[in-house]
Amino acid sequence: MNIPVSILNGIKDNIQLSEIIGEKVKLLKKGKVHKGLCPFHDDKNPSFVVDDSKARFRCWGCGESGDVFDWLKKTEHDHFPGAVRKLAARIGMTIPEKEQCSEITDKSLFKVLYAAQNLYTGGLSRNPPAADYLKSRGITDKTCKEWGLGVVASGIVPSMLKRFTQEDLLGTGITAISGDGSVYERLRQRITIPVYSVSGRLTGFSGRKIHFWDSSPKYLNPPQTPFFNKSRLLFGLNKASASIRKTGTAVIVEGYFDVIALHQEGESRAVAGMGTAITVEQLMIICKMATRLYFCMDSDKGGRAGIRQLLPRLLDVISDRHDVFFLFMPEGMDPDDYIRTNGLLSWENALVAAVPLSSLLLQYATRNYKIETIEQKKQAAVRAEEVCRSIKHAPYLRQLLVDAFRKECRITLNLEDNL
């Protein structure tokens, strides 16, 4: 059986080609691409170009070109299955041995996505309700253009069917099949938000409803396609990755417009999950880029529930090189509200005052109550042991939490078994 296109695209989408090639070739950023001396011939002037947005390299001197799989085949003499498995291991993706690798591409579906994007963005100027909504969120025309925001009013399908088949539109999530078997346009009457991989490749579109009378979900994500896997993509990472790598810091928020507004106001390290709780795969991706993580959470019941979902996954991924903090938003405010109201400096000060992970874990163990009776201490010890055993790759954090708990509650945890 062939390895699915979704796996091959998942590898490409979660690996930055310039980072891989930069391990062997000195690259300098020149505009939107990286340039360096070609490793395949005696290059005197930099003629070797790496384009992360296309996930391709090319030498304009000798003509060598390809993608990340070709790079490993050419420089490390790997055959295709070996290159796939090596890159998959690098991002923590497992490929079953029974799968058989073949070089599969489907450029036609990418053409569908980019054609749809052109139509979506062109519709924004002709849709006053969508434009008014974006203005109400403080999103400028410049930001709309930079993030490729668009809108679907009456629909783009008739125009798209002049160039593509119905199967193409279904395969990219532009259309879907209803319960009665008819085909409908998924994002009609919605603001369209293009979703890109870290390398800058378009993978699909999310949509935000425009009208208050619309009873459908506020946001719609793309369906699972060969290009879109919501558990492995982080919204905004294509724009934030350079700042995250440079500063070693990532800011993780909950909403698409939180990310867009933060970048607009100068916080260029912001990313978000795909409308659902952050997954282990997403945490692994961000932890490879950053050593300092800030999670922005609501202060309400929903925010506390989000933390309960996040912590087990987080403790399973982080190492002692990671410092994690939690920024709780004032009641009734999202990150985009906060930064538009208070400005970038206030936002940066709020990050400085964020709650460390260690404090949050100790609060969970003690429940912020006085630990006075034996029963209270016993229950606190059980919770503390549960937390410490969840820490898989940060032994110093685990030991320091044990020491802090002993000082706080005068109990020594017994963690000798099964660590």
Side-chain angles (χ1 to χ4, degrees), residues 60-178:
W60 293 96
C62 68
E64 287 283 1
S65 64
D67 59 14
V68 68
F69 303 117
D70 297 315
W71 172 257
L72 285 191
K73 288 192 291 181
K74 293 173 188 290
T75 60
E76 300 186 13
H77 308 292
D78 277 328
H79 58 309
F80 186 73
V84 171
R85 295 188 188 283
K86 185 175 290 186
L87 291 167
R90 184 175 179 127
I91 61 173
M93 182 187 294
T94 301
I95 299 176
E97 288 296 328
K98 66 179 181 179
E99 298 284 14
Q100 185 181 36
C101 293
S102 67
E103 300 184 58
I104 303 172
T105 58
D106 196 343
K107 295 181 180 179
S108 65
L109 294 184
F110 284 115
K111 291 180 181 178
V112 174
L113 289 172
Y114 283 99
Q117 172 67 346
N118 287 334
L119 292 173
Y120 288 155
T121 54
L124 191 57
S125 62
R126 301 190 298 273
N127 193 299
D132 290 344
Y133 173 78
L134 292 170
K135 287 179 181 178
S136 74
R137 297 292 297 258
I139 305 299
T140 66
D141 292 342
K142 179 183 177 183
T143 297
C144 288
K145 185 175 180 179
E146 288 176 350
W147 287 82
L149 302 182
V151 71
V152 184
S154 58
I156 66 168
V157 169
S159 177
M160 293 288 286
L161 287 176
K162 294 177 183 178
R163 297 176 55 190
F164 306 103
T165 67
Q166 192 67 260
E167 288 73 22
D168 290 334
L169 303 189
L170 287 167
T172 51
I174 303 297
T175 59
I177 299 177
S178 64

Side-chain angles (χ1 to χ4, degrees), residues 284-389:
M284 290 175 66
I285 291 166
I286 208 69
C287 282
K288 287 178 181 177
M289 292 186 176
T291 56
R292 198 172 184 87
L293 311 180
Y294 289 90
F295 291 90
C296 301
M297 314 295 293
D298 291 338
S299 299
D300 59 11
K301 186 177 180 180
R304 293 191 293 273
I307 289 177
R308 286 195 296 271
Q309 281 187 302
L310 171 65
L311 284 180
R313 300 167 186 171
L314 185 64
L315 296 179
D316 191 44
V317 171
I318 61 169
S319 69
D320 281 319
R321 58 189 287 270
H322 295 105
D323 293 322
V324 181
F325 301 87
F326 292 85
L327 174 59
F328 294 95
M329 292 289 96
E331 187 173 353
M333 296 190 84
D334 291 324
D336 67 326
D337 299 318
Y338 186 95
I339 200 165
R340 283 192 290 113
T341 302
N342 300 295
L344 182 62
L345 180 59
S346 178
W347 171 262
E348 291 172 343
N349 290 336
L351 291 179
V352 171
V355 178
L357 172 64
S358 57
S359 297
L360 202 67
L361 295 176
L362 285 172
Q363 288 174 16
Y364 167 78
T366 62
R367 295 282 175 92
N368 288 324
Y369 297 144
K370 289 183 179 179
I371 307 299
E372 296 174 342
T373 68
I374 290 177
E375 286 74 18
Q376 289 171 336
K377 289 183 179 182
K378 179 185 67 173
Q379 291 304 318
V382 169
R383 290 194 295 269
E385 183 177 334
E386 174 188 301
V387 167
C388 291
R389 289 189 183 279

Side-chain angles (χ1 to χ4, degrees), residues 23 130 140 175 229 244 282 292 340 397 402:
E23 294 173 357
T140 66
T175 59
N229 184 326
I244 290 173
Q282 290 167 332
R292 198 172 184 87
R340 283 192 290 113
L397 172 62
V402 170

Side-chain angles (χ1 to χ4, degrees), residues 217-234:
K218 184 183 293 186
Y219 287 94
L220 285 181
N221 269 332
Q224 197 85 349
T225 71
F227 317 111
F228 180 84
N229 184 326
K230 68 179 180 181
S231 67
R232 295 195 185 113
L233 289 170
L234 285 153

